C-alpha cells in the first residue's frame, strides 16, 4: 500500500494468525472471534480502497493538522554538547497528542462497517478524548469506559469527553483503573457486537488491533522519515519514543523499520526505579516482567509468581500499564529495537529542561523519551542525529507537575 498515511508493506509481521514471532494472537472469548474476523476483512477492504485512504488523508490534513512539523532543538543540543536533537511534534496534532491519528482511522472504519455505536476504554482520558472527538466529527455514538479512580484523578478530561457528547461510563470493578476499564469495554463489545465497534487506544489487544493501530500511527514515522531527509538531508542515527501500550513508538519505528542503520529506542516508565517494584517497566525487571497474556494478546506482562497482574506505577498515566504491545516484545526479541527506562524523577527533570531550553511543555509520557535523549546525546558525536517523538503536550499534566515539583504551596 502506498499511502503517505498508512504503511502496511514494510514488515512480515503479524502473520496470518496475528502473531509477531512468539507474541500477539487472539486470546478472547469464542463469541468475539467472528467480530475480529469481520474487522480483519473490513480493514483489508478499506486499505485497498483509494477513497478510504483519500478521506483519511483529507481529515488528517484539514482537521488534525498533519503533517506535524519537525523542530530542531538547537539550544538543548548545544547545551548537551553532543548529538543534534530533533523533535517530531505530535504535541501539535489536534487534541494535543498522537492518539487522534488512530481514533480517526478507526472511527472512519466503524462508519464504513455501518456501526454507529462506539465503545472505547480510557485511563488518563486521552484516548477517551480522542475517541469522543472523532465520534463527534463523524456523528457516531460514543461510550467511554473509565475507572472511577481515574475519573476522580482526571476530571478535566471527563468534562472534555462530556462536552464532546460522549457518555462516560464509570467502572467500579477491580482497581477501578485502565485495566478494569478495558475489561468492561470488552464485555460491552461481546454483548453488543452486531451494532458496536470497539475503538482500541493503543497497539494492544487481540489481532488485528495491534496491526491496525500500528498502521494508523505509522503516519508519524513515514512523515518523519521524509521530513528528516528534506530538512536535515539525512536519516537520524537514533529514534527515541516512550512506550506505554506502544502506539506512538510503533508508529514512529514503523517508518524506519527497514533502515537498518537507524537505531530504535523505546523508553518505559521506570517509576520510582526498578528495585522499588513501583514502575511499569515490563522489559526491565525479569523478576516480574515475563511473557503472559493480558487483554487478548501474549506479550511481556508484569505479574507475580502466580501470574496475577501487578499494580504498576508511573508519574505519567499514559505509561502506567502492566503489558506492552506485542510487536514491541517481538522487535526486542529480534533485536531490531532496544528498550530502556526513565524514572519519574528523570522525566520531571527532562520536562523542565525542554520547557526552559526550547519553550515546549511536553507531556509527562513524552518527557521519558526526552530524558533518554538527554542521557544519550552527550555520548554521541556532534554530527550525530537523534529524533525524539514528542507524543503529546503537557497541558493535561500541569496539576501533576505542580504537585510533584511542590510549586503549589
Ligand atoms: C497515551 C499516551 C502515550 C502512551 O501510549 P502509547 O500507546 O504507548 O503511545 C504516550 N504519550 C502521550 C502524550 C499519550 O497521551
Amino acid at each position: 500500500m502506498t499511502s503517505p498515511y498508512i504503511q502496511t508493506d514494510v514488515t512480515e509481521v503479524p502473520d496470518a494468525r496475528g502473531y509477531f514471532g512468539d507474541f500477539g494472537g487472539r486470546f478472547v472469548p469464542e463469541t468475539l472471534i467472528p467480530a475480529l474476523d469481520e474487522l480483519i476483512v473490513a480493514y483489508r477492504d478499506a486499505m485497498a480502497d483509494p477513497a478510504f485512504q483519500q478521506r483519511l488523508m483529507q481529515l488528517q490534513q484539514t482537521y488534525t493538522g498533519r503533517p506535524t512539523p519537525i523542530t530542531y532543538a538547537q539550544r538543548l543540543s548545544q547545551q548537551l554538547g553532543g548529538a543534534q536533537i530533533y523533535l517530531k511534534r505530535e504535541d501539535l496534532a489536534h487534541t494535543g497528542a498522537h492518539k487522534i491519528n488512530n481514533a480517526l482511522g478507526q472511527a472512519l472504519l466503524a462508519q464504513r462497517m455501518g456501526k454507529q455505536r462506539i465503545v472505547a476504554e480510557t485511563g488518563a482520558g486521552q484516548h477517551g478524548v480522542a475517541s469522543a472527538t472523532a465520534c463527534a466529527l463523524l456523528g457516531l455514538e460514543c461510550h467511554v469506559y473509565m475507572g472511577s479512580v481515574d475519573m476522580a484523578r482526571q476530571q478535566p478530561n471527563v468534562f472534555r469527553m462530556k462536552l464532546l457528547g460522549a457518555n462516560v461510563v464509570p467502572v467500579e470493578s477491580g482497581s477501578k483503573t485502565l485495566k478494569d476499564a478495558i475489561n468492561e469495554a470488552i464485555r460491552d463489545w461481546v454483548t453488543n457486537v452486531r451494532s458496536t465497534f470497539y475503538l482500541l487506544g493503543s497497539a494492544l489487544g487481540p489481532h488485528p488491533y495491534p496491526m491496525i493501530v500500528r498502521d494508523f500511527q505509522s503516519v508519524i514515522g513515514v512523515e518523519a522519515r521524509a521530513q528528516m531527509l528534506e530538512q536535515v538531508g539525512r536519516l537520524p542515527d537514533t529514534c527515541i519514543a516512550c512506550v506505554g501500550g506502544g502506539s506512538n513508538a510503533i508508529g514512529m519505528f514503523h517508518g524506519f523499520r527497514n533502515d537498518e542503520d537507524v537505531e530504535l529506542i523505546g523508553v518505559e516508565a521506570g517509576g520510582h526505579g526498578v528495585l522499588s517494584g513501583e514502575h511499569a517497566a515490563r522489559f526491565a525487571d525479569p523478576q516480574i516482567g515475563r511473557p503472559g497474556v493480558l487483554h487478548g494478546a501474549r506479550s511481556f506482562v508484569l505479574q507475580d509468581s502466580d501470574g496475577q497482574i501487578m499494580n504498576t506505577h508511573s508519574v505519567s498515566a499514559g505509561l502506567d500499564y502492566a503489558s506492552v504491545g506485542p510487536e514491541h516484545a517481538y522487535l526486542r526479541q529480534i533485536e531490531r529495537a532496544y528498550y530502556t527506562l526513565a524514572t519519574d524523577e528523570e522525566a520531571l527533570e527532562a520536562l523542565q529542561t525542554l520547557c526552559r531550553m526550547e519553550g515546549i511543555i511536553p507531556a509527562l509520557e513524552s518527557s521519558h523519551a526526552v530524558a533518554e535523549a538527554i542521557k544519550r546525546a552527550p555520548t554521541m558525536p556532534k554530527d550525530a542525529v537523534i529524533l525524539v517523538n514528542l507524543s503529546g503536550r503537557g497541558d493535561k499534566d500541569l496539576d501533576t507537575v505542580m504537585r510533584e515539583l511542590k510549586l503549589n504551596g
Side-chain angles (χ1 to χ4, degrees):
M1 206 62 47
T2 52
S3 155
Y5 284 85
I6 307 155
Q7 193 167 42
T8 57
D9 60 348
V10 299
T11 172
E12 68 294 351
V13 285
D15 66 18
R17 290 161 49 250
Y19 276 87
F20 303 84
D22 295 337
F23 304 102
R26 317 198 284 189
F27 297 83
V28 294
E30 203 61 40
T31 44
L32 279 184
I33 297 291
L36 292 169
D37 284 341
E38 182 193 7
L39 181 57
I40 293 170
V41 171
Y43 178 65
R44 297 230 182 274
D45 185 67
M47 290 300 101
D49 179 358
F52 180 85
Q53 305 255 1
Q54 183 60 34
R55 174 101 169 101
L56 178 60
M57 184 159 88
Q58 181 215 352
L59 288 179
Q60 295 286 31
Q61 287 172 351
T62 62
Y63 185 74
T64 308
R66 306 209 69 88
T68 59
I70 291 213
T71 300
Y72 174 37
Q74 185 172 19
R75 291 189 66 225
L76 178 63
S77 305
Q78 275 168 3
Q79 179 188 280
L80 294 169
Q84 307 307 307
I85 298 173
Y86 291 81
L87 308 170
K88 176 63 171 164
R89 301 290 307 278
E90 292 301 294
D91 60 315
L92 294 179
H94 180 45
T95 68
H98 67 289
K99 287 199 172 73
I100 191 74
N101 302 328
N102 169 55
L104 260 187
Q106 285 194 47
L108 278 178
L109 190 58
Q111 198 173 48
R112 183 185 171 92
M113 293 171 75
K115 309 224 177 195
Q116 270 292 122
R117 183 175 182 275
I118 305 294
V119 294
E121 81 295 337
T122 200
Q126 293 303 106
H127 175 57
V129 169
S131 299
T133 300
C135 288
L137 177 71
L138 300 181
L140 301 168
E141 179 188 326
C142 185
H143 303 268
V144 181
Y145 287 87
M146 186 170 190
S148 58
V149 167
D150 287 337
M151 283 179 73
R153 286 196 287 213
Q154 308 289 340
Q155 288 237 337
N157 274 342
V158 174
F159 188 54
R160 278 185 190 104
M161 285 183 264
K162 289 184 175 170
L163 267 182
L164 291 161
N167 171 33
V168 183
V169 189
V171 174
E172 302 288 354
S173 56
S175 55
K176 305 176 190 180
T177 58
L178 176 62
K179 162 170 71 65
D180 314 289
I182 298 179
N183 289 337
E184 286 305 316
I186 293 176
R187 198 160 300 156
D188 180 315
W189 194 34
V190 172
T191 313
N192 303 296
V193 68
R194 296 181 71 87
S195 65
T196 299
F197 186 99
Y198 180 17
L199 207 170
L200 215 160
S202 188
L204 298 168
H207 178 62
Y209 280 106
M211 172 181 77
I212 291 178
V213 176
R214 174 196 73 192
D215 292 350
F216 284 139
Q217 292 293 2
S218 67
V219 61
I220 301 172
V222 173
E223 278 179 10
R225 188 178 189 283
Q227 288 167 315
M228 289 304 290
L229 289 174
E230 194 183 306
Q231 232 170 288
V232 189
R234 53 165 294 190
L235 295 179
D237 297 284
T238 302
C239 283
I240 304 178
C242 66
V243 183
S247 69
N248 86 87
I250 208 71
M252 170 66 93
F253 291 179
H254 206 54
F256 297 92
R257 182 81 161 72
N258 293 341
D259 299 309
E260 277 165 30
D261 293 338
V262 178
E263 184 183 35
L264 306 175
I265 308 290
V267 186
E268 297 186 286
H272 295 137
V274 168
L275 295 179
S276 73
E278 296 175 358
H279 61 78
R282 289 90 14 141
F283 292 135
D285 188 343
Q287 293 294 323
I288 56 173
R290 288 177 282 116
V293 171
L294 184 62
H295 297 134
R298 185 168 190 276
S299 185
F300 269 66
V301 180
L302 290 172
Q303 53 192 307
D304 68 17
S305 51
D306 296 326
Q308 292 296 313
I309 306 306
M310 304 280 288
N311 285 327
T312 50
H313 164 80
S314 171
V315 70
S316 66
L319 303 186
D320 199 354
Y321 182 62
S323 186
V324 57
E327 190 162 6
H328 286 291
Y330 172 69
L331 291 178
R332 177 173 178 268
Q333 188 178 41
I334 65 170
E335 299 186 353
R336 178 63 191 93
Y338 298 90
Y339 295 82
T340 180
L341 57 80
T343 62
D344 287 358
E345 205 179 310
E346 290 167 336
L348 281 160
E349 192 62 43
L351 181 142
Q352 295 172 84
T353 302
L354 202 69
C355 288
R356 288 175 195 168
M357 300 302 294
E358 301 294 340
I360 297 170
I361 304 176
L364 276 168
E365 291 85 1
S366 323
S367 300
H368 288 69
V370 175
E372 179 62 19
I374 291 173
K375 284 181 210 168
R376 260 170 205 261
T379 71
M380 296 166 73
K382 281 201 167 67
D383 61 355
V385 172
I386 294 177
L387 175 62
V388 176
N389 195 23
L390 211 68
S391 55
R393 66 175 182 230
D395 306 48
K396 68 182 178 63
D397 296 320
L398 293 184
D399 277 354
T400 309
V401 173
M402 283 197 333
R403 197 170 55 242
E404 293 287 331
L405 300 180
K406 304 194 170 44
L407 296 178
N408 54 347

